[in-house]
Amino acid sequence: MKKIYFIIALSAAVLSAASCTKEQYGAPDKDKYVYDIPQTDLDKDAVLGCYYVNYNTEVSSSTSPEVPLLGYYKTADAGVLEQHIDWADSAGVDFFIFGWDKASSDTALVNSFIDARSEETGVKFAFCYNTSHLKVTNDSPLESENNYKKFIAEFVDVLAGYMLDDSYYRIDGKPVLLVTPANLSSDALLSIDFSKVIGQLRNDFKSFYGLDLYVIGQITTGWVAPVNYADHQIYSFDAVVPNTWKTRSYDLFYSYFSFLDINWNNWKTTLAKRNVDFVPCVYPSFNDRVYDKKSYYYTFGDNGELDDYIDFCNVAKRNIGSHNLVIINSWNDWKYGTNLEPSDLKEGRFLDETRAQFKLSE
């Protein structure tokens, strides 16, 4: 009998729900998710970092949707770094971010950059240390004694010498170091305990050189909420930067900047509860259709328009952290069309707009 009453009650509920209209309950308020980004002004200059790609083989039309104003080049070509430094200074870029994965070309780039600087140069550099070359595993994690010795030896033998140089960028007197990837792959989730490794690195660096580090964890995916990561992957750092914001979702593409604003606000407020800064990361544009003709990532600003970049900059300013740090992805990643470096499409307009958006005095 109870079973019959239950079926009747359930049927009534279904019929009642079916008889309800959208008007009775109201449609979702799209203005909460799809809205224009207002011009936002800072009360002090932003600190601008910019990812830099080292080209050992020449940029070409087969991999770049734009033609560099310098022409197709290799980074080591005469005058390239000098011109990049000059342009970066004009845009207000404070430091280039050079990847370091123990390749000889990594240190060669840094040496060339230091040689190309002059006394008037403003832009400095910082390392983005990639842990992939360490070959750590779940069974042989980085915090194990032998692996950690190899890890710290790289700082003592190579990296610290550069990090103590006057051309290396510091925040509050602390050398800035990015560590990637903070989001470990599914088959290597136990390969690094960042709370142990970063804590020990800080202690050792301070003991050896008398300096604290400002360590930024780099998340190599976008859109994923911080709650999806283990605590040590985001709370072991002074700051966290998710640096990839391409999307295959039409909904995200259609309402790109408002969805990004919501996502970043979540990141910022969540991290702030544990005294970790959120670092916004902006694209000047995005277009990988030359690099990969089968790509179905949505593009924006792919014809050199400024409007999307301005919106991106304003989302960053709405969600900027306590150190006013913003990272630009990228200076010259030509194959994805994210380059801030002048091209036949962008010319110098994006450099000028970068300074206008992030620096108080032009």
Side-chain angles (χ1 to χ4, degrees), residues 262-323:
I262 294 167
N263 177 289
W264 286 4
N265 180 262
N266 181 36
W267 269 98
K268 179 182 177 180
T269 55
T270 300
L271 293 177
K273 294 175 183 177
R274 300 277 288 272
N275 296 315
V276 176
D277 252 4
F278 173 67
V279 180
C281 181
V282 303
Y283 290 163
S285 57
F286 185 92
N287 179 11
D288 68 343
R289 301 294 170 85
V290 171
Y291 170 69
D292 181 2
K293 296 187 186 308
K294 296 180 180 178
S295 170
Y296 54 96
Y297 286 115
Y298 290 104
T299 63
F300 63 90
D302 54 313
N303 291 317
E305 303 95 340
L306 274 175
D307 289 348
D308 285 340
Y309 183 48
I310 291 171
D311 280 339
F312 224 145
C313 292
N314 281 306
V315 176
K317 288 183 286 185
R318 285 163 60 89
N319 295 284
I320 204 165
S322 62
H323 284 87

Side-chain angles (χ1 to χ4, degrees), residues 202-224:
R202 293 182 196 276
N203 292 337
D204 288 341
F205 201 91
K206 179 69 176 289
S207 176
F208 297 155
Y209 307 109
L211 288 174
D212 291 316
L213 293 174
Y214 189 87
V215 187
I216 303 173
Q218 178 177 281
I219 301 288
T220 61
T221 56
W223 305 109
V224 179

Side-chain angles (χ1 to χ4, degrees), residues 12-315:
V14 171
L15 289 172
S16 175
S19 65
C20 294
T21 66
K22 183 187 294 184
E23 287 71 26
Q24 285 176 292
Y25 279 90
D29 183 1
K30 70 180 180 64
D31 291 336
K32 290 182 179 180
Y33 308 102
V34 183
Y35 50 86
D36 293 332
I37 303 298
Q39 176 63 38
T40 302
D41 297 322
L42 297 172
D43 57 6
K44 62 179 180 179
D45 286 352
V47 174
L48 297 179
C50 202
Y51 290 109
Y52 189 99
V53 178
N54 188 17
Y55 289 100
N56 298 309
T57 57
E58 191 171 84
V59 180
S60 69
S61 59
S62 64
T63 58
S64 175
E66 303 174 37
V67 180
L69 282 192
L70 281 175
Y72 297 123
Y73 65 83
K74 292 183 289 187
T75 308
D77 289 347
V80 168
L81 274 168
E82 287 85 354
Q83 181 62 78
H84 286 180
I85 288 170
D86 184 59
W87 279 333
D89 280 346
S90 73
V93 173
D94 294 286
F95 62 100
F96 284 140
I97 300 168
F98 296 146
W100 198 85
D101 201 14
K102 207 178 179 180
S104 59
S105 58
D106 296 341
T107 48
L109 172 61
V110 177
N111 291 332
S112 297
F113 174 78
I114 292 173
D115 290 342
R117 296 182 83 248
S118 68
E119 292 182 1
E120 293 76 30
T121 297
V123 64
K124 298 187 176 186
F125 78 98
F127 284 121
C128 182
Y129 181 93
N130 196 318
T131 62
S132 62
H133 70 278
L134 298 171
K135 308 297 183 186
V136 293
T137 65
N138 290 339
D139 295 326
S140 181
L142 180 52
E143 59 268 24
S144 64
E145 185 176 359
N146 287 338
N147 285 336
Y148 183 80
K149 283 181 178 178
K150 296 176 184 177
F151 171 69
I152 195 64
E154 293 181 346
F155 284 86
V156 173
D157 296 340
V158 181
L159 299 176
Y162 292 109
M163 296 169 73
L164 299 175
D165 193 271
D166 288 341
S167 60
Y168 198 88
Y169 195 77
R170 300 184 183 189
I171 289 178
D172 297 336
K174 304 173 183 178
V176 173
L177 175 69
L178 283 77
V179 176
T180 190
N183 52 312
L184 300 171
S185 62
S186 58
D187 60 350
L189 290 176
L190 304 179
S191 63
I192 303 175
D193 185 329
F194 287 107
S195 62
K196 295 179 180 177
V197 170
I198 300 302
Q200 189 61 47
L201 174 62
R202 293 182 196 276
N203 292 337
D204 288 341
F205 201 91
K206 179 69 176 289
S207 176
F208 297 155
Y209 307 109
L211 288 174
D212 291 316
L213 293 174
Y214 189 87
V215 187
I216 303 173
Q218 178 177 281
I219 301 288
T220 61
T221 56
W223 305 109
V224 179
V227 71
N228 290 284
Y229 297 106
D231 280 7
H232 75 96
Q233 292 177 289
I234 56 177
Y235 297 123
S236 303
F237 306 98
D238 295 289
V240 172
V241 56
N243 76 335
T244 303
W245 301 103
K246 57 189 178 184
T247 179
R248 290 186 170 103
S249 164
Y250 180 77
D251 288 344
L252 289 180
F253 166 70
Y254 175 77
S255 51
Y256 188 88
F257 299 108
S258 56
F259 271 44
L260 198 67
D261 189 44
I262 294 167
N263 177 289
W264 286 4
N265 180 262
N266 181 36
W267 269 98
K268 179 182 177 180
T269 55
T270 300
L271 293 177
K273 294 175 183 177
R274 300 277 288 272
N275 296 315
V276 176
D277 252 4
F278 173 67
V279 180
C281 181
V282 303
Y283 290 163
S285 57
F286 185 92
N287 179 11
D288 68 343
R289 301 294 170 85
V290 171
Y291 170 69
D292 181 2
K293 296 187 186 308
K294 296 180 180 178
S295 170
Y296 54 96
Y297 286 115
Y298 290 104
T299 63
F300 63 90
D302 54 313
N303 291 317
E305 303 95 340
L306 274 175
D307 289 348
D308 285 340
Y309 183 48
I310 291 171
D311 280 339
F312 224 145
C313 292
N314 281 306
V315 176

